[in-house]
Amino acid sequence: MCLTYFEETIIDIQQEAMTNILKKYEFDPACPVRNVLDRFGDKWSILIIIILGEAGKMRFNELHKSIGDVSQKMLTTTLRTLEADGLVSRKVFPEIPPRVEYELTTMGKSLEPHIASLSAWAEEHMPAIKKSRMKYEKATAAG
């Protein structure tokens, strides 16, 4: 079947539109969305932001105890990353033994409502997610 000129033009336009959409998702190290989400994709960053948001200032050991199952090395690494990104501030007091306090910066505090929305979404949808996971596991086990 021959395509008319009009049909060919529509197909060309659709292909170009799809190409432009896909370009939006190509890897770009400068992409702000990927760059920021990369930082929060770990297990601890969002939890630390939530805890510091609720508690205000915390010392390292208090933060470590409140999280529980994070290693000191991982907590240190995560706090350094959050500090490097400008989300957490670190204040060292010249005492013996040294005392260090962490708290959210203004930018870190501006992230709190977004994390709260994500948390609320997770709580609302967790029953459906669990149900879907169980359904998927049954289907793949029977497969």
Side-chain angles (χ1 to χ4, degrees), residues 18-33:
M18 184 56 73
T19 301
N20 289 336
I21 289 169
L22 292 174
K23 280 183 184 177
K24 198 166 111 177
Y25 296 102
E26 287 179 5
F27 176 72
D28 175 8
C31 174
V33 174

Side-chain angles (χ1 to χ4, degrees), residues 2-27:
C2 286
L3 294 176
T4 65
Y5 173 76
F6 181 70
E7 289 171 326
E8 287 177 14
T9 304
I10 290 174
I11 291 170
D12 291 340
I13 291 170
Q14 288 174 337
Q15 285 177 336
E16 184 178 339
M18 184 56 73
T19 301
N20 289 336
I21 289 169
L22 292 174
K23 280 183 184 177
K24 198 166 111 177
Y25 296 102
E26 287 179 5
F27 176 72

Side-chain angles (χ1 to χ4, degrees), residues 40 42-54 58 63 66-70 75 78 82 104 115 119:
F40 300 133
D42 68 63
K43 189 174 179 179
W44 306 111
S45 294
I46 290 179
L47 184 57
I48 290 169
I49 292 169
I50 290 169
I51 291 169
L52 287 176
E54 290 176 3
M58 288 185 87
L63 190 52
S66 68
I67 295 173
D69 59 341
V70 64
L75 180 56
T78 306
L82 293 171
L104 293 180
I115 292 173
S119 296

Side-chain angles (χ1 to χ4, degrees), residues 5-139:
Y5 173 76
F6 181 70
E7 289 171 326
E8 287 177 14
T9 304
I10 290 174
I11 291 170
D12 291 340
I13 291 170
Q14 288 174 337
Q15 285 177 336
E16 184 178 339
M18 184 56 73
T19 301
N20 289 336
I21 289 169
L22 292 174
K23 280 183 184 177
K24 198 166 111 177
Y25 296 102
E26 287 179 5
F27 176 72
D28 175 8
C31 174
V33 174
R34 285 183 182 222
N35 202 300
V36 170
L37 290 180
D38 246 7
R39 295 289 222 191
F40 300 133
D42 68 63
K43 189 174 179 179
W44 306 111
S45 294
I46 290 179
L47 184 57
I48 290 169
I49 292 169
I50 290 169
I51 291 169
L52 287 176
E54 290 176 3
K57 296 177 185 177
M58 288 185 87
R59 294 177 70 172
F60 183 89
N61 286 333
E62 293 172 323
L63 190 52
H64 187 253
K65 286 176 188 172
S66 68
I67 295 173
D69 59 341
V70 64
S71 70
Q72 287 188 349
K73 181 180 179 183
M74 183 52 66
L75 180 56
T76 299
T77 301
T78 306
L79 285 167
R80 285 181 182 163
T81 300
L82 293 171
E83 184 181 5
D85 285 349
L87 300 172
V88 170
S89 67
R90 177 180 185 263
K91 185 173 182 181
V92 179
F93 294 88
E95 302 171 355
I96 298 177
R99 179 171 53 114
V100 180
E101 288 182 346
Y102 296 90
E103 69 178 314
L104 293 180
T105 62
T106 303
M107 186 167 50
K109 289 175 184 174
S110 73
L111 187 56
E112 283 185 282
H114 304 287
I115 292 173
S117 294
L118 179 60
S119 296
W121 182 91
E123 287 185 32
E124 177 184 341
H125 291 91
M126 195 64 217
I129 290 169
K130 284 182 179 179
K131 185 177 177 181
S132 181
R133 286 178 183 172
M134 287 175 33
K135 182 180 175 184
Y136 178 83
E137 287 174 13
K138 285 180 183 176

